[in-house]
Amino acid sequence: MIPEDLVEMGRRHQNVEEYKKKKEKKEIGNQPRKERKGHILNMWCQKVHNPISKWILPPGAGGIYWQRARCFPPPVFIAIISILQLGIFVYYTFWKPQEEWNTPEMGIWESPFIYRPDKRKQAWRFISYMMVHVGFQHICGNVLMQLLLGLPLEMVHKGHRVGLVYLSGVFAGSLGSSVCEPFQALVGASGGVYALTGGYFMNVLVNFKSMVPLFGFFRLTLILFIFAFDMGLAFFRKFVASPGGPPVSVRVAHIAGGLTGMTVGFTVFSCFEKELLKDRMFWVTIIGYFVCVLLAVFFNIFLSPVDFL
């Protein structure tokens, strides 16, 4: 039997809590409409950010995160990139006259966005190829991956950091492909997607213990599964679904983007509590990245076998 005094004490505590909740709701209701709307919005914002912060960050960074967490401005970089990619895919799939091409691969071969070895002097193609995709599986896979991972990352790290990692992976993908597979064309945003994935993968791996072992194991398994599935799908598209299409690279861009994420991306995402320009490791990885970029540019200008055919 529970003593009566403890039961009475529990009832009093419950009544006090209910009174506090009613008082808080009443105060919110009595506030001016603008303030009331802002308060409700802040409560909603906290519900959104709470699971995202646990998924993206180790526990030690939670305090700094909650000081910076905002729902406005919303994450727009990944959203804008995804909308543009979907729009360009719709154009080349449905709006471009059908008589101009026989397969989706041939349809985008003359696109000003695609990276082609014989068009390397048009430097924008080293970045713009991320806007063009081949087939529904290709566009859906890349857009879904970058939305599921990129939006939470952008809410935590903001658009300029996520954009830096994403575009670094895209650029590394095209330069790496131009060096290792100089006769191959390149389409898709896999370099940028793998840069985000590589940065997040390293963050989970390094902070495995503090990010809850079982949940951390689930994260690593999920990332490895997505990587294996995407690579398998890429090889299927190249060698099984359309073996007669133009030569399109499927390996190097993924690897180069992933390595960029595991170096530049990991440094950017891990120094959450610091300013990027004041972090020594950021400058080490950025200098290393630019050294590789300069070597690849030198190769393309003076040594590429494409120019000797």
Side-chain angles (χ1 to χ4, degrees), residues 19-216:
Y19 174 76
K20 287 181 179 179
K21 290 180 181 179
K22 289 181 181 179
K23 185 178 179 181
E24 184 178 354
K25 289 182 180 180
K26 188 176 180 180
E27 288 176 353
I28 294 174
N30 292 333
Q31 288 176 348
R33 185 173 180 180
K34 188 175 181 181
E35 292 182 11
R36 190 191 326 155
K37 187 177 179 181
H39 185 81
I40 294 173
L41 187 61
N42 287 335
M43 293 175 62
W44 174 83
C45 189
Q46 289 181 1
K47 291 181 180 179
V48 171
H49 278 283
N50 188 43
I52 290 176
S53 64
K54 291 180 180 178
W55 176 263
I56 298 297
L57 292 172
I64 300 295
Y65 172 75
W66 282 108
Q67 293 178 16
R68 302 177 182 176
R70 299 288 186 276
C71 282
F72 290 98
V76 295
F77 175 79
I78 292 295
I80 291 174
I81 291 292
S82 299
I83 291 171
L84 290 175
Q85 289 167 344
L86 289 169
I88 291 174
F89 176 77
V90 168
Y91 169 75
Y92 281 106
T93 304
F94 299 107
W95 291 351
K96 197 167 178 62
Q98 295 286 326
E99 60 269 19
E100 291 188 12
W101 46 274
N102 299 319
T103 66
E105 289 85 354
M106 294 305 297
I108 62 173
W109 187 250
E110 298 300 329
S111 169
F113 298 107
I114 185 175
Y115 169 77
R116 284 173 49 179
D118 57 329
K119 302 285 187 179
R120 293 192 331 281
K121 292 182 180 179
Q122 298 175 353
W124 70 83
R125 292 177 182 261
F126 283 89
I127 293 289
S128 64
Y129 77 93
M130 70 178 182
M131 294 295 178
V132 185
H133 291 79
V134 177
F136 286 100
Q137 294 174 328
H138 194 201
I139 183 70
C140 290
N142 276 344
V143 170
L144 184 63
M145 285 177 66
Q146 70 190 26
L147 287 175
L148 288 177
L149 186 58
L151 289 178
L153 282 171
E154 191 172 346
M155 290 186 74
V156 171
H157 297 285
K158 307 309 176 187
H160 64 286
R161 294 196 179 201
V162 172
L164 173 64
V165 175
Y166 187 89
L167 294 177
S168 296
V170 169
F171 196 38
S174 57
L175 286 175
S177 180
S178 69
V179 172
C180 299
E181 295 180 329
F183 296 102
Q184 305 288 306
L186 195 61
V187 294
S190 295
V193 173
Y194 273 70
L196 297 180
T197 307
Y200 180 66
F201 175 82
M202 285 297 295
N203 196 23
V204 174
L205 192 63
V206 171
N207 299 288
F208 182 81
K209 291 184 179 180
S210 63
M211 295 178 85
V212 186
L214 182 60
F215 196 33

Side-chain angles (χ1 to χ4, degrees), residues 171-172 175 179 264 282-299:
F171 196 38
L175 286 175
V179 172
V264 176
F282 171 74
W283 287 108
V284 171
T285 54
I286 285 295
I287 291 173
Y289 176 83
F290 274 106
V291 168
C292 294
V293 166
L294 291 175
L295 291 174
V297 170
F298 180 85
F299 175 88

Side-chain angles (χ1 to χ4, degrees), residues 1-7:
M1 293 289 294
I2 301 175
E4 287 293 330
D5 55 343
L6 291 179
V7 174

